[in-house]
Amino acid sequence: MSSKKEMLFIPSLVILWYSSNIGVLLLNKFLLSSYGFRFPIFLTMCHMSACAILSYMSIVFLKIVPLQVVKSRSQLFKIATLSIVFCGSVVGGNISLRFLPVSFNQAVGATTPFFTALFAYLITFKREAWVTYAALVPVVAGVVIASGGEPSFHLYGFIMCISATAARAFKSVLQGILLSSEGEKLNSMNLMLYMSPIAVLALLPAALIMEPSVLDFIFTLGSKHRYMWLLLFINSTMAYSANLSNFLVTKHTSALTLQVLGNAKGAVAVVISILLFQNPVTFIGIGGYSMTVLGVVAYGEAKRRFK
């Protein structure tokens, strides 16, 4: 790729990554709390269905990445385990959006490095330098402060958000353990291709049992609001686009660039959500979230320097 094309390509990728991630987050919030679509498990199933179909098209037909074949039942079982944990994290995050503003949801989500370091230590006994652990103190302290200063704090929503964040970190550590051998490693696109159908199979009975009125509701709402189906389609497509753009940005930028862009993305999502949903914020809440973000930045820098 020529330097001129690359100068246009990478910013375009970052814009796609930001718009997809922030877009799906805000649309989830709108559907689950403002629009009256209170079925987070079914919504997650829609996301996973879109990821399954679009992953297949991207890899098999568009050949964005080479198809990696699952080589054994053992590998398939490991992928299924990751898929269930991933489902738990996404469903928990979507449930939390029913009760919490996006700004606070993002503040809690920023504590992922803390849970990743915790699980890595508990499961693999991997230790980091003391400076790295020290950087996690403001990450946790910031969320504690933000919780105390959050006008729209909801205990159940907070528990779901923390659980989703912990599950996301657990999946990351588990992936490093389960798919560690060279013969079993899958890139994120192929992993999504295999995880998504398994997630749909797990979420379908869960939605029918735990959200029994979902089918009646969507057909009733769909007949009244003709744009509901379009919103669900856009939302589900954005969920896949977020995964695709994350893979491409990771591939075409450095780890440091990705870290900086990721931290900035959370801040952008918070600002946009406050402007759109007009949820009340306090100086204590903003201060707590700022402390968490700065802690995440310090943690990333410490981890890079003290490898």
Side-chain angles (χ1 to χ4, degrees):
M1 189 181 293
S2 68
S3 57
K4 188 176 284 187
K5 283 185 178 178
E6 192 170 359
M7 282 176 66
L8 292 173
F9 179 69
I10 292 176
S12 300
L13 270 185
V14 173
I15 291 169
L16 175 65
W17 185 41
Y18 269 46
S19 56
S20 299
N21 277 270
I22 296 171
V24 76
L25 180 68
L26 297 179
L27 201 46
N28 282 350
K29 175 64 178 174
F30 173 72
L31 286 168
L32 291 165
S33 62
S34 303
Y35 196 69
F37 189 90
R38 299 185 176 184
F39 304 101
I41 298 174
F42 183 82
L43 184 64
T44 306
M45 192 185 77
C46 291
H47 291 177
M48 292 297 102
S49 300
C51 286
I53 295 166
L54 294 172
S55 290
Y56 184 83
M57 291 172 63
S58 298
I59 294 172
V60 175
F61 295 111
L62 300 178
K63 301 188 185 301
I64 290 177
V65 292
L67 175 66
Q68 294 174 287
V69 180
V70 174
K71 297 176 181 177
S72 65
R73 286 185 180 180
S74 170
Q75 188 184 13
L76 184 61
F77 177 75
K78 291 173 181 178
I79 292 169
T81 304
L82 289 173
S83 182
I84 299 303
V85 175
F86 180 65
C87 277
S89 72
V90 178
V91 170
N94 284 339
I95 291 173
S96 74
L97 284 171
R98 276 190 60 190
F99 304 100
L100 298 176
V102 172
S103 52
F104 187 57
N105 177 280
Q106 288 293 284
V108 176
T111 61
T112 302
F114 166 76
F115 288 105
T116 304
L118 179 65
F119 287 130
Y121 179 75
L122 293 175
I123 298 170
T124 68
F125 303 107
K126 180 185 176 185
R127 294 188 178 186
E128 304 283 357
W130 70 268
V131 179
T132 307
Y133 288 122
L136 289 171
V137 174
V139 172
V140 178
V143 169
V144 172
I145 293 168
S147 301
E150 176 54 55
S152 307
F153 183 83
H154 190 286
L155 182 59
Y156 178 66
F158 177 71
I159 291 170
M160 285 293 101
C161 198
I162 280 284
S163 301
T165 305
R168 190 161 55 244
F170 181 60
K171 183 247 175 191
S172 172
V173 174
L174 203 61
Q175 185 175 328
I177 299 168
L178 296 182
L179 302 178
S180 58
S181 68
E182 284 301 320
E184 291 187 335
K185 278 184 181 176
L186 297 172
N187 62 48
S188 59
M189 292 292 291
N190 275 276
L191 187 60
M192 181 59 66
L193 172 68
Y194 292 115
M195 283 202 320
S196 302
I198 296 169
V200 173
L201 292 175
L203 289 166
L204 180 59
L208 293 175
I209 294 167
M210 299 175 73
E211 300 171 344
S213 60
V214 62
L215 294 178
D216 288 337
F217 182 86
I218 60 170
F219 284 114
T220 303
L221 189 64
S223 62
K224 291 179 182 177
H225 299 193
R226 56 182 178 176
Y227 294 115
M228 188 206 73
W229 298 105
L230 180 62
L231 286 174
L232 276 179
F233 175 77
I234 292 171
N235 186 239
S236 301
T237 305
M238 274 185 170
Y240 172 72
S241 178
N243 285 290
L244 172 63
S245 56
N246 185 67
F247 169 78
L248 292 173
V249 169
T250 305
K251 183 180 177 181
H252 291 281
T253 63
S254 67
L256 181 60
T257 304
L258 189 70
Q259 179 193 322
V260 173
L261 290 172
N263 292 332
K265 177 167 63 67
V268 171
V270 167
V271 172
I272 294 175
S273 72
I274 291 169
L275 292 174
L276 280 178
F277 296 107
Q278 300 290 305
N279 57 284
V281 290
T282 63
F283 284 114
I284 295 174
I286 293 169
Y289 178 64
S290 301
M291 183 185 288
T292 295
V293 171
L294 290 172
V296 171
V297 172
Y299 170 78
E301 183 63 20
K303 198 168 181 182
R304 187 175 68 85
R305 287 192 181 189
F306 295 95
K307 272 186 178 180

